[in-house]
Amino acid sequence: MTAIAIPPSIASRPSAQWLSKPKQLLINNQWVDPQGGETFDVFNPATGEVIAQVAAGEAADIDKAVKAARRAFEDGPWKKMTPSERGKIVWRIGELIDQHCDELAELETLDNGKPLAVAKVADVPLAGDIFRYMAGYATKLEGNTIPISVLYAPDSQFHAFTLREPVGVVGQIIPWNFPLLMAAWKLAPALACGCTVVLKPAEQTPLSAMRLGELALEAGLPEGVLNIVTGLGETAGAALASHNDVDKVAFTGSTEVGKMIVNAATGNLKKVTLELGGKSPNVIFKDADLNTAIPGAASAIFFNHGQCCCAGSRLYVEKEIFDEVASGIAEEAKKITVGDGFDENTVMGPLVSQEQFDRVTKYMDIGLNSGAKALCGGSANEAAKDGGYYVNPTILVDTHEQMQVVQEEIFGPVVTAMSFTDPEEIVARSNDSIYGLAAGVWTADISRAHRLAKAIKAGTVWVNCYNVFDSAMPFGGYKQSGWGREMGHEVLNNYLQTKSVCIGL
Ligand code: NAP
Ligand code: MG
């Protein structure tokens, strides 16, 4: 067994004490060992050292968790609870997240690499907020009364209405880029709707979801309502997606695995929602306020080290201002201190894993070898020589749509910058992608802003801003960026189904 290295930066903090406990599976409100007795290593991306050994759940554990979730859904106190009681528990989870902000943020930095200050102001508060936002819906899941005409029975009278019912046992599979927040986006609406859940966190970042599991029990979730099975995608994830007693699977991750989830779901035709990859266009017109557009475009790609499904990774700049914008973003990039997320000066931490480091640096090479030029970055950061997964924020110019780096999702701090001359052509170029998750438009022309917002095929269009998220605003993809929406009241459709009731009077 590899020795566990807890970084000195957190040695005296609550997160370090928590880390030293065994990392088991949460099934039926008990923390239990996996049936196969296996574990997998979890790494500190800042150093490459092992920070935890976590239970490797497999198909048998998924089956046990699904059975617990099924019992809880059909017969448990959860089903009998009033909406108000259910909402109160969901709300309490949000409160407990806020109360444990420092500890959760530390786990996030340790596990994912993101700067602690970012985890404290973004990841953790947003996670708490979505529980409180969704808690309110528990008491508002209303159907309609429907005046029906029934053409072939003109002399009869009917009373028709709809009920909004929880879809049942839900499997949720989440990625590593916002480990706690992705768990929260999935769990909060599912619980508010009265579903029961089996959650599989990403193998790279399982820690904050496990701590969230403890807080959810503290908030009063009854037995079996939330089960957490850590493990690998190919085993635990695949078993969850294909399980015949799971009514619905909600997935966030790569488009490639999203397609595997769809295939796996065919056995019992479980419902599927998907939040997948992107290659989002970010368009800057010459009339834009460059004092906001330049730092905005930098943040669109460099926030979370570019490990955002909605990262503004295809930059289009009107020709007259191209050089000014590209060099302005390069200046922003040079101001970014790359380092350990626990260091106060760090703006960009390491990438999440060796695999992701290899992937991003490979794409940098592919871009440079196919004729692109790096205005800044274009390589690993020198801090990587000590074992951390550090890369430099990168702007690639001399790029065009046929290049692999322009077509494919890199999922790192690498933006491809291109110019345009004809404002009319920019819609077609923006839409020239298999993806359609998000887009940015920077302009002072309000009519153009509205025209583009309508014409761009993306689930979110940000105008004169980027990466604005709110629990109330739906998020999700057009085209191969996904099925369904998260957040806002739209997400309730993912976890409810509608029953029509018709009474002959
Ligand atoms: P991924 O493989 O799609 O992983 C997402 C989740 O799916 C993880 O929990 C993963 O488990 C699980 N999984 C993997 N294979 C599975 C299978 N056959 N059946 C069921 N579940 C499975 O993403 P990744 O490997 O972490 O990252 C690869 C690329 O995906 C990234 O470089 C990026 O382009 C994209 N990505 C997109 C998002 C997004 O928010 N849209 C997030 C993360 C990554 P394991 O953790 O064990 O693999
Ligand atoms: Mg994977």
Side-chain angles (χ1 to χ4, degrees):
M1 209 186 237
T2 328
I4 289 183
I6 295 186
S9 46
I10 62 154
S12 60
R13 304 195 204 186
S15 52
Q17 286 159 29
W18 182 81
L19 265 182
S20 61
K21 294 200 304 191
K23 299 285 166 287
Q24 295 169 297
L25 310 175
L26 177 59
I27 298 178
N28 211 31
N29 284 21
Q30 305 288 323
W31 291 94
V32 296
D33 286 329
Q35 295 177 51
E38 298 293 319
T39 61
F40 62 94
D41 290 341
V42 176
F43 299 89
N44 176 359
T47 61
E49 291 172 311
V50 175
I51 44 169
Q53 266 116 16
V54 170
E58 295 181 14
D61 305 295
I62 289 288
D63 188 55
K64 198 170 142 195
V66 170
K67 287 196 168 97
R70 176 59 63 192
R71 277 195 307 275
F73 184 74
E74 303 297 344
D75 307 314
W78 190 235
K79 186 181 178 146
K80 297 179 196 105
M81 236 177 228
T82 63
S84 170
E85 286 171 316
R86 199 167 71 232
K88 230 187 217 171
I89 293 176
V90 176
W91 180 278
R92 238 181 260 142
I93 298 174
E95 294 291 276
L96 286 167
I97 290 174
D98 281 357
Q99 285 164 24
H100 293 81
C101 180
D102 287 354
E103 185 190 352
L104 288 163
E106 283 161 25
L107 290 178
E108 223 57 338
T109 297
L110 194 57
D111 214 2
N112 166 280
K114 65 182 67 200
L116 185 63
V118 174
K120 276 188 193 176
V121 300
D123 296 67
V124 181
L126 287 176
D129 190 65
I130 191 97
F131 279 97
R132 286 192 302 273
Y133 175 84
M134 289 298 161
Y137 275 118
T139 48
K140 297 161 195 75
L141 303 173
E142 297 167 354
N144 299 312
T145 54
I146 305 170
I148 58 174
S149 305
V150 198
L151 299 185
Y152 51 83
D155 299 330
S156 305
Q157 287 188 53
F158 300 96
H159 172 48
F161 60 95
T162 53
L163 296 171
R164 303 277 278 152
E165 298 185 336
V167 76
V169 174
V170 176
Q172 301 185 322
I173 301 174
I174 55 170
W176 44 256
N177 51 349
F178 296 89
L180 179 72
L181 188 58
M182 292 300 102
W185 279 15
K186 294 259 182 291
L187 290 174
L191 297 175
C193 289
C195 293
T196 60
V197 177
V198 178
L199 175 76
K200 201 224 59 92
E203 71 187 81
Q204 295 85 352
T205 56
L207 300 178
S208 57
M210 300 171 76
R211 186 69 186 100
L212 175 61
E214 293 180 349
L215 297 177
L217 299 194
E218 197 180 322
L221 272 188
E223 273 182 5
V225 173
L226 169 60
N227 306 274
I228 302 177
V229 179
T230 47
L232 308 187
E234 295 73 19
T235 49
L240 185 56
S242 62
H243 199 292
N244 279 336
D245 203 32
V246 170
D247 298 304
K248 187 243 155 64
V249 62
F251 171 81
T252 297
S254 62
T255 293
E256 185 191 353
V257 175
K259 290 178 184 179
M260 293 161 80
I261 301 286
V262 171
N263 285 327
T266 55
N268 67 337
L269 286 181
K270 58 175 66 67
K271 318 278 184 267
V272 178
T273 45
L274 305 167
E275 206 266 272
L276 306 176
K279 189 76 184 177
S280 298
N282 193 17
V283 184
I284 305 183
F285 289 91
K286 65 181 178 211
D287 64 6
D289 171 11
L290 297 188
N291 291 326
T292 54
I294 289 173
S299 156
I301 184 64
F302 299 137
F303 175 65
N304 212 41
H305 326 156
Q307 299 170 133
C308 296
C309 44
C310 55
S313 52
R314 276 192 296 146
L315 181 68
Y316 293 102
V317 185
E318 201 159 2
K319 193 163 178 144
E320 291 91 322
I321 57 163
F322 182 84
D323 290 342
E324 183 185 357
V325 169
S327 59
I329 298 173
E331 285 308 309
E332 295 289 325
K334 283 172 198 154
K335 283 190 246 163
I336 292 174
T337 309
V338 177
D340 187 327
F342 283 104
D343 186 330
E344 281 178 6
N345 299 316
T346 293
V347 176
M348 187 182 283
L351 299 180
V352 73
S353 63
Q354 181 70 48
E355 188 187 354
Q356 199 62 17
F357 175 86
D358 293 344
R359 174 189 169 101
V360 172
T361 50
K362 190 184 92 189
Y363 269 113
M364 290 173 174
D365 292 342
I366 290 174
L368 297 174
N369 290 334
S370 57
K373 205 174 100 220
L375 211 51
C376 64
S379 61
N381 183 277
E382 60 177 39
K385 69 180 184 319
D386 298 324
Y389 314 129
Y390 298 98
V391 299
N392 287 319
T394 297
I395 305 171
L396 296 179
V397 293
D398 295 344
T399 50
H400 56 78
E401 269 90 359
Q402 281 68 46
M403 283 180 169
Q404 216 178 327
V405 284
V406 178
Q407 293 284 333
E408 295 175 14
E409 180 176 51
I410 298 175
F411 224 66
V414 182
V415 64
T416 60
M418 289 161 285
S419 67
F420 67 92
T421 42
D422 176 6
E424 296 307 311
E425 82 188 21
I426 202 60
V427 170
R429 289 177 74 184
S430 297
N431 288 337
D432 180 18
S433 170
I434 61 165
Y435 298 112
L437 192 59
V441 177
W442 302 81
T443 180
D445 179 340
I446 191 165
S447 304
R448 173 192 278 154
H450 280 284
R451 276 199 314 274
L452 262 79
K454 270 187 162 177
I456 292 176
K457 291 181 179 156
T460 300
V461 179
W462 285 296
V463 178
N464 295 333
C465 60
Y466 208 95
N467 278 338
V468 177
F469 290 97
D470 192 279
S471 300
M473 191 165 75
F475 182 77
Y478 280 37
K479 299 194 266 183
Q480 293 191 38
S481 290
W483 292 350
R485 294 291 175 271
E486 308 221 76
M487 301 196 287
H489 56 77
E490 293 256 348
V491 70
L492 303 171
N493 298 326
N494 297 358
Y495 297 105
L496 294 171
Q497 49 194 347
T498 300
K499 178 182 281 175
S500 291
V501 182
C502 180
I503 302 178
L505 300 179

